[in-house]
Amino acid sequence: MLTKSARVRRGGSRFAIFISTLLALYAWTHTRLVVKKTPEGEPSSDEESARSLLITVKSTHAGKIVSPPKGPFCQPRSLRSGDHTGLDSEFYTKYQSSVLHSRKPFAIDKGFFMTVEKYYSDKNLWLDAGAGTCGTMKAISDAGHSVFGVELSDVCRTECSSLARQGKVFSTGLNEIPFPDRYFDLVWSSEVFEHIPIELINQSVAEVVRVAKRDLFLSIAMKRSGFDPDPPAKPRIHLSVLPQSWWDATFALYGCRVNTELRGVLLQARYSKATFFPYICHEAPVVKAECNPAVARYADCYASNSGDNSKCLHEKQTYLELCTP
């Protein structure tokens, strides 16, 4: 008969093996995103294509979606089309079901959900962009708001299944949100953007801005996951750990300015391990056009150096100089 300590060790070992297996799957998935080099060291056409996506893009869905989707919509579009993000879906489905289902949503666990909800109490219709296990969606609904969600994992196989059956949450990436332009009073996204491959960030930013009437609220991780290796190895979980100033400059290129009032309130509250990105969007461009290539060069440097921000100090100084409103 196993002692209690032996059972704990065995349970911990099984959990470690499970995480290692998921990471192996995730690493295999992202081999399709690795930049290729020609024998002479010149960028391949795949690399040039990926770098072109770092420049600000217009949402491919702008003006094309006239009504909200009809649910349930479980299997992600990208999986049906064979896109690489479809493979990510399987990883996140297993991760949501086996790891995160027993944890509180980040915003609730860290305590800032109530502060943010109170600030946006007059916003009726919310989108949870990257709904996870749908715990935050339920809290938003309990607070009296109407809410839809999008989530990369298969929502019919996770804690989201009941909301999926109601047509409230849909399996899709943030780079293709199936809702009309300016549909939501508030777009909420907590600890999601750091998971997005860098070449999909601009399309994802374009989409969350497109479906927001005006207001966005995001929290984004500022460091690698505990499951990620240290630089110079490439990250596996938090793929895009970029400075707060870089995110602000990127959203500014899409016509969003920082909601300094709300950011100030949250900074004063000193919530641990959380960095906040409240924006007011659909206003005139708030930065110069020269900001665009500077932001892209920083992202390119970050990707080329396996996510090591310390290698990109010159590029950071350049975009800070060019992107200041």
Side-chain angles (χ1 to χ4, degrees), residues 156-178:
C156 290
R157 294 163 53 197
T158 68
E159 297 291 307
C160 294
S161 60
S162 62
L163 289 172
R165 287 193 296 270
Q166 298 172 43
K168 292 293 186 179
V169 61
F170 305 91
S171 289
T172 186
L174 296 193
N175 58 311
E176 46 178 2
I177 299 176

Side-chain angles (χ1 to χ4, degrees), residues 15 19 95-96 99-106 109 133 135 227:
F15 180 77
I19 291 296
Y95 188 65
Q96 303 286 3
V99 179
L100 296 186
H101 77 284
S102 60
R103 300 181 183 179
K104 290 182 179 179
F106 183 82
D109 182 51
T133 55
F227 298 121

Side-chain angles (χ1 to χ4, degrees), residues 198 241-243 246 294-320:
I198 200 153
V241 180
L242 297 153
W246 186 89
V295 166
R297 280 193 292 272
Y298 185 90
D300 184 28
C301 177
Y302 174 88
S304 299
N305 287 284
S306 302
D308 188 350
N309 284 299
S310 68
K311 304 291 186 182
C312 305
L313 298 181
H314 172 72
E315 288 79 5
K316 181 178 181 179
Q317 184 60 37
T318 300
Y319 81 69
L320 285 174

Side-chain angles (χ1 to χ4, degrees), residues 57-236:
V57 297
K58 182 178 180 180
S59 169
T60 57
H61 301 297
K64 295 181 179 179
I65 301 175
V66 297
S67 61
K70 302 295 183 182
F73 186 28
C74 299
Q75 189 182 46
R77 295 178 179 184
S78 52
L79 186 60
R80 294 200 302 271
S81 63
D83 190 89
H84 62 260
T85 52
L87 295 173
D88 294 350
S89 171
E90 185 60 25
F91 169 83
Y92 279 108
T93 299
K94 292 180 179 180
Y95 188 65
Q96 303 286 3
S97 299
S98 303
V99 179
L100 296 186
H101 77 284
S102 60
R103 300 181 183 179
K104 290 182 179 179
F106 183 82
I108 295 172
D109 182 51
K110 300 304 177 185
F112 63 83
F113 173 78
M114 292 182 64
T115 300
V116 176
E117 189 281 323
K118 182 179 180 180
Y119 185 87
Y120 292 117
S121 61
D122 62 332
K123 307 299 181 185
N124 179 48
L125 184 59
W126 293 35
L127 174 69
D128 190 349
T133 55
C134 291
T136 305
M137 281 187 67
K138 294 171 184 175
I140 293 168
S141 179
D142 289 345
H145 308 278
S146 298
V147 60
F148 286 93
V150 292
E151 165 58 30
L152 184 59
S153 61
D154 187 345
V155 293
C156 290
R157 294 163 53 197
T158 68
E159 297 291 307
C160 294
S161 60
S162 62
L163 289 172
R165 287 193 296 270
Q166 298 172 43
K168 292 293 186 179
V169 61
F170 305 91
S171 289
T172 186
L174 296 193
N175 58 311
E176 46 178 2
I177 299 176
F179 286 89
D181 298 358
R182 302 196 184 192
Y183 191 73
F184 294 99
D185 298 316
L186 177 70
V187 173
W188 160 286
S189 183
S190 179
E191 306 299 293
V192 176
F193 270 80
E194 67 271 16
H195 294 275
I196 299 174
I198 200 153
E199 58 269 42
L200 293 180
I201 285 177
N202 272 342
Q203 188 61 48
S204 300
V205 171
E207 279 289 88
V208 296
V209 172
R210 177 183 68 80
V211 299
K213 288 181 179 178
R214 193 191 81 144
D215 291 286
L216 297 177
F217 177 84
L218 305 89
S219 68
I220 304 174
M222 293 287 102
K223 66 178 183 178
R224 291 191 176 202
S225 164
F227 298 121
D228 282 329
D230 293 329
K234 291 184 177 181
R236 299 173 179 175

Side-chain angles (χ1 to χ4, degrees), residues 274-297:
T275 305
F276 304 110
F277 300 83
Y279 296 116
I280 296 170
C281 301
H282 298 300
E283 298 187 346
V286 293
V287 289
K288 297 178 291 187
E290 292 85 351
C291 177
N292 195 346
V295 166
R297 280 193 292 272

